[in-house]
Amino acid sequence: AGLTGHARTTLLAVAADMPAPEALTRLNAMLRVRTSSERFLTVAYLRLFPHPTTGTATLTVCLAGHPQPLLLGPDGSVTPLGRPGSLLGVLDTVELFEQAVELGPGSTVLLYTDGVTEAKGAEGEFGEERLAQTLSGLAGRSAEEVVAEVERVVLDFRTGGADDLALLAVRLVPDRVP
């Protein structure tokens, strides 16, 4: 929690007008100086730019060792977002990529920790495919409903020990800007 808080504060201080890969590269350099290589971070750095006149938005995604967020379309399609990049705090040089995606009304973006996909049940791991299938059936639901239902399905599936389980959904509401 302390490392995450330090990272959040650092990004707020240095990243306002900086491209995400550059901001995360700076954060990595600070982590390398201040922590041991056994302490690392995964980061999903997203920025949302609403277009009020069209009801759409541009989302930029930069991943540093974090699972790819999933885009749930209004039609139930599920698409992974972003390109995987290096963990932060481990290597002196990191590879990071930024992707821009256009979101239409009714689109939902789900971010999650690996505790979701790595949840252990009688059938093995919950996995990315099961997560995508679960998410696909939630098109048109509110962000709160998406998070609650994914959490319920994962907890019902899970039989083993508990890993971190964090979910965040953002939905572009039709006829309104988020």
Side-chain angles (χ1 to χ4, degrees):
L3 187 60
T4 301
H6 173 71
R8 187 176 301 120
T9 303
T10 300
L11 285 175
L12 287 172
V14 303
D17 297 322
M18 191 179 295
E22 186 179 335
L24 293 180
T25 297
R26 283 195 182 182
L27 175 59
N28 184 67
M30 289 182 211
L31 291 171
R32 294 290 294 143
V33 168
R34 295 190 175 133
T35 64
S36 68
S37 61
E38 290 87 38
R39 296 190 64 195
F40 62 88
L41 289 175
T42 68
V43 176
Y45 193 137
L46 283 71
R47 293 180 181 169
L48 185 67
F49 303 94
H51 308 296
T53 58
T54 63
T56 63
T58 301
L59 179 74
T60 62
V61 180
C62 185
L63 303 173
H66 199 279
Q68 289 176 278
L70 297 175
L71 171 62
L72 172 61
D75 61 354
S77 61
V78 177
T79 308
L81 298 177
R83 182 174 165 193
S86 306
L87 288 167
L88 300 184
V90 178
L91 304 170
D92 289 330
T93 304
V94 292
E95 280 194 280
L96 301 166
F97 314 94
E98 189 169 35
Q99 175 192 36
V101 178
E102 294 302 316
L103 302 179
S107 298
T108 301
V109 176
L110 179 69
L111 291 100
Y112 58 94
T113 57
D114 61 3
V116 172
T117 53
E118 294 175 3
K120 305 260 189 286
E123 302 170 40
E125 286 191 343
F126 189 77
E128 293 173 9
E129 186 176 324
R130 192 182 320 264
L131 176 58
Q133 288 172 348
T134 301
L135 192 57
S136 179
L138 301 174
R141 302 263 192 99
S142 72
E144 294 84 1
E145 291 171 319
V146 168
V147 166
E149 182 61 13
V150 171
E151 180 181 36
R152 185 195 65 75
V153 171
V154 172
L155 292 176
D156 286 351
F157 176 87
R158 188 168 70 184
T159 58
D163 190 3
D164 67 315
L165 183 68
L167 298 156
L168 172 69
V170 177
R171 182 165 188 259
L172 195 60
V173 179
D175 300 323
R176 291 191 291 168
V177 178

